[in-house]
């Protein structure tokens, strides 16, 4: 039954006419759209040096991106072997106070965290038509004996793939982060990567799967086909398949794609990005026939868990990024905003409130998973504004504010931060995070609270 639905979905997407953003003369400014992100678009385009250090705490990150496709890079880059990477070390002290109504006068909950990690990349080009790329991470603490950390938390391979050509097709084979979606805080169209974007940490790296990707350029358009190997795959039927077409309509880049795997809900997506002066806009739409989530229902006699493979679940997001700078480039401002409509969400958010004893029992009995109670309501918004002042001296100040809100259960978080870059190697930042909402809500699981976070980063670098 799902195979028939998958074919119908593919025909609808690949032959249908998507709703496009207004066209504009000129190409899409991917640097404006993704320059503050985690380098997903750049890494997918084949530039190893473009992978952003997601652990960098700077307000604005220097990202070397490229608009070249894999075929152009393979045929024009004459480097043989390049070793690169990044290093990051910071210590954060955190104080938290209850902000309930009425507020309590209890002593602050304090915490101290250390973030120490290194990334090493190897980019080898045996000849003009082949390439090998690997990226490994080592993170602190280096002991994997505690119950909360395993060996894969200490040492893990983020990407490991090769690029090569087969006729006019360009193939990437191995573990790779996918460029499948254009959202910054939320990306419902991204059904290929193993991890979702964290809206409270949108610059964090995403983990991609082991896969084979085939890219066939057709003029200014690109056709992609994917064969994806899940970690638990044991039979050929476990292999997932996907296809995507990208093309330009004036100054708007449009993508449409389909995804399917046996015993999973088939999905189709459409994305569009466009640049209009200092403003860049992006939108995604995704629809699945059925859902892979487990849902909770309450018939009055108690809660039960069910699945649904016979209903359309649409999801939609739209957002924009505005960048501006002074004529001398010493002052810069970056503002990003996004709205997300989640068709898999509950109308009644109380059904998945984690303070509910029934929900806790379902989680303890493994009838529900943590992913089943994440991003579970209908409407979200998120925004970020960041200002930087390059004084061309030893101290460069800046300020930012990041906010995420669940409009359905009326919870959210906001964190204003001020930052001082003391030279090239020391960054000191002070944040005042605040979370609002009732106990058990998505962004305030322990109720409303506020705090102070002091972070000192030392010796961070890219090479």
């Amino acid at each position: 039954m799902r195979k028939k639905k998958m074919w119908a979905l593919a025909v609808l997407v690949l032959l249908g006419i998507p709703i496009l953003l207004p066209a504009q003369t000129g190409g899409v400014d991917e640097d404006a759209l993704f320059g503050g992100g985690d380098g997903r678009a750049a890494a997918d385009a084949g530039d190893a040096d473009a992978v952003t250090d997601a652990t960098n705490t700077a307000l604005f990150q220097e990202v070397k991106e490229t608009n070249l496709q894999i075929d152009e890079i393979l045929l024009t880059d004459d480097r043989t072997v390049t070793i690169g990477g990044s290093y990051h070390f910071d210590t954060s002290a955190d104080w938290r106070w209850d902000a309930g109504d009425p507020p309590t006068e209890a002593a602050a909950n304090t915490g101290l965290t250390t973030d120490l990690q290194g990334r090493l990349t190897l980019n080898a080009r045996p000849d003009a038509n082949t390439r090998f790329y690997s990226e490994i991470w080592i993170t602190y603490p280096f002991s994997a004996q505690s119950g909360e950390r395993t060996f894969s938390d200490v040492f893990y391979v983020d990407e490991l793939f090769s690029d090569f050509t087969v006729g006019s097709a360009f193939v990437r084979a191995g573990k790779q982060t996918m460029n499948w979606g254009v959202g910054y805080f939320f990306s419902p169209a991204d059904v290929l990567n193993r991890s979702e974007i964290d809206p409270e940490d949108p610059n964090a790296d995403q983990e991609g799967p082991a896969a084979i990707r085939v890219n066939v350029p057709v003029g200014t358009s690109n056709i992609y086909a994917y064969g994806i190997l899940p970690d638990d795959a044991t039979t050929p039927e476990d292999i997932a398949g996907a296809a995507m077409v990208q093309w330009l309509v004036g100054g708007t880049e449009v993508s449409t794609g389909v995804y399917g795997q046996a015993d999973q809900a088939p999905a189709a997506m459409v994305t569009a990005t466009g640049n209009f002066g200092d403003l860049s806009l992006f939108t995604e739409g995704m629809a699945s026939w059925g859902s892979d989530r487990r849902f909770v229902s309450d018939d009055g006699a108690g809660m039960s868990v069910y699945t649904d493979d016979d209903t359309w679940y649409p999801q939609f997001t739209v957002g924009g990024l505005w960048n501006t700078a002074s004529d001398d480039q010493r002052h810069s401002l970056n503002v990003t905003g996004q709205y997300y409509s989640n068709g898999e969400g509950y109308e009644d958010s109380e059904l998945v409130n984690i303070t509910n004893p029934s929900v806790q029992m379902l989680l303890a009995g493994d009838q529900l998973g943590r992913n089943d109670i994440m991003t579970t309501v209908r409407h979200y918004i998120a925004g970020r504004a960041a200002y930087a002042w390059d004084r061309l001296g030893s101290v460069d100040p800046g300020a930012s504010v990041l906010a995420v809100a669940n409009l359905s259960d009326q919870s959210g978080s906001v964190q204003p931060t001020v930052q001082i870059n003391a030279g090239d190697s020391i960054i000191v930042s002070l944040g005042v995070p605040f979370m609002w909402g009732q106990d058990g809500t998505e962004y305030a699981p322990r109720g409303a609270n506020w705090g102070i976070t002091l972070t000192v980063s030392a010796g961070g670098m890219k090479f």
Side-chain angles (χ1 to χ4, degrees):
M1 184 65 176
R2 273 190 168 164
K3 290 183 179 179
K4 295 180 180 179
K5 295 173 183 175
M6 188 61 206
W7 280 109
L9 207 55
V11 172
L12 283 174
V13 172
L14 298 180
L15 298 184
I17 301 176
I19 299 175
L20 305 179
L21 293 170
Q24 173 180 306
T25 302
V28 177
D29 185 354
E30 293 189 3
D31 287 338
L33 281 173
F34 306 110
D38 62 0
R40 291 186 298 272
D44 205 56
D47 184 2
D49 297 332
V51 181
T52 302
D53 177 14
T55 62
N56 192 329
T57 58
L59 295 175
F60 292 93
Q61 298 180 13
E62 296 274 339
V63 182
K64 296 180 181 178
E65 295 198 344
T66 178
N67 290 327
L68 297 178
Q69 295 296 322
I70 295 174
D71 54 341
E72 298 173 271
I73 293 173
L74 287 178
L75 297 176
T76 61
D77 199 315
D78 58 0
R79 294 176 295 176
T80 304
V81 177
T82 302
I83 296 177
S86 60
Y87 170 77
H88 174 79
F89 172 62
D90 71 35
T91 299
S92 296
D94 185 73
W95 298 265
R96 291 276 178 165
W97 291 270
D98 175 32
D101 186 17
T104 66
E105 296 182 0
N109 293 314
T110 61
L112 182 69
T113 59
T114 298
D115 184 7
L116 171 60
Q117 51 188 287
R119 176 174 64 95
L120 185 65
T121 64
L122 174 64
N123 188 35
R125 301 180 188 273
D127 54 59
N129 296 311
T130 59
R131 171 185 179 230
F132 167 78
Y133 179 75
S134 66
E135 178 178 331
I136 61 173
W137 288 80
I138 302 174
T139 67
Y140 177 87
F142 304 126
S143 171
Q145 298 177 355
S146 66
E148 296 182 358
R149 282 178 68 84
T150 63
F151 177 77
S152 61
D153 296 317
V154 178
F155 178 92
Y156 64 93
V157 178
D158 193 50
E159 292 194 285
L160 181 68
F161 60 79
S162 65
D163 289 327
F164 56 94
T165 60
V166 178
S168 59
F170 298 88
V171 183
R172 174 168 294 178
K175 183 174 172 57
Q176 54 192 282
T177 300
M178 300 294 190
N179 181 21
W180 187 278
V182 295
Y184 182 68
F185 298 100
F186 310 97
S187 185
D190 183 7
V191 294
L192 301 190
N193 285 313
R194 295 181 57 193
S195 60
E196 296 182 359
I197 297 174
D198 179 359
E200 295 184 280
D201 187 13
N203 290 335
D205 279 343
Q206 285 182 274
E207 183 182 3
I212 297 176
R213 186 190 72 179
V214 180
N215 169 216
V216 180
V218 181
T220 60
S221 302
N222 283 279
I223 300 173
Y224 294 91
Y226 303 81
I228 302 162
L229 301 170
D231 289 346
D232 56 355
T234 57
T235 66
E237 288 76 15
D238 295 329
I239 299 174
M244 180 174 68
V245 180
Q246 291 180 337
W247 71 97
L248 288 175
V249 180
T252 300
E253 183 180 79
V254 181
S255 300
T256 59
V258 293
Y259 169 85
Q261 183 180 4
D263 299 324
Q264 289 197 9
M269 70 84 168
V270 58
T271 73
T273 62
N275 188 52
F276 309 90
D278 292 335
L279 177 64
S280 300
L281 299 178
F282 56 87
T283 184
E284 295 183 18
M286 193 274 280
S288 62
W289 184 246
S291 174
D292 298 320
R293 285 194 173 190
R294 292 172 287 186
F295 295 96
V296 172
S297 65
D298 189 350
D299 59 6
M303 284 191 172
S304 60
V305 175
Y306 70 96
T307 58
D308 182 4
D309 62 358
D310 201 27
T311 303
W312 282 105
Y313 286 94
Q315 299 183 52
F316 169 77
T317 187
V318 62
L321 170 66
W322 179 64
N323 284 298
T324 187
S326 61
D327 293 339
D328 60 5
Q329 301 297 311
R330 296 183 64 182
H331 302 271
S332 57
L333 179 64
N334 168 291
V335 179
T336 307
Q338 188 173 354
Y339 164 75
Y340 172 40
S341 173
N342 177 23
E344 290 184 322
Y346 292 84
E347 291 186 2
D348 181 7
S349 60
E350 286 298 316
L351 281 173
V352 286
N353 189 303
I354 62 172
T355 62
N356 188 320
S358 297
V359 174
Q360 294 175 357
M361 289 180 62
L362 293 173
L363 288 169
D366 202 29
Q367 293 177 269
L368 278 181
R370 287 292 175 182
N371 290 337
D372 297 320
I373 58 171
M374 295 176 62
T375 321
T376 51
V377 297
R378 295 293 176 91
H379 304 286
Y380 296 85
I381 57 171
R384 178 180 183 268
Y387 164 77
W389 180 16
D390 183 359
R391 298 180 63 241
L392 303 179
S394 59
V395 177
D396 296 325
S400 69
V401 59
L402 172 67
V404 184
N406 178 325
L407 301 181
S408 299
D409 70 9
Q410 298 182 7
S411 68
S413 67
V414 60
Q415 177 164 321
T417 302
V418 293
Q419 178 175 292
I420 297 293
N421 292 6
D424 296 330
S425 301
I426 300 292
I427 301 173
V428 180
S429 62
L430 180 67
V432 185
F434 177 75
M435 296 182 179
W436 68 87
Q438 299 298 317
D439 289 358
T441 51
E442 184 166 4
Y443 291 113
R446 289 179 291 276
N449 65 86
W450 70 281
I452 297 174
T453 301
L454 177 64
T455 302
V456 177
S457 301
M461 65 182 72
K462 297 179 184 178
F463 53 90

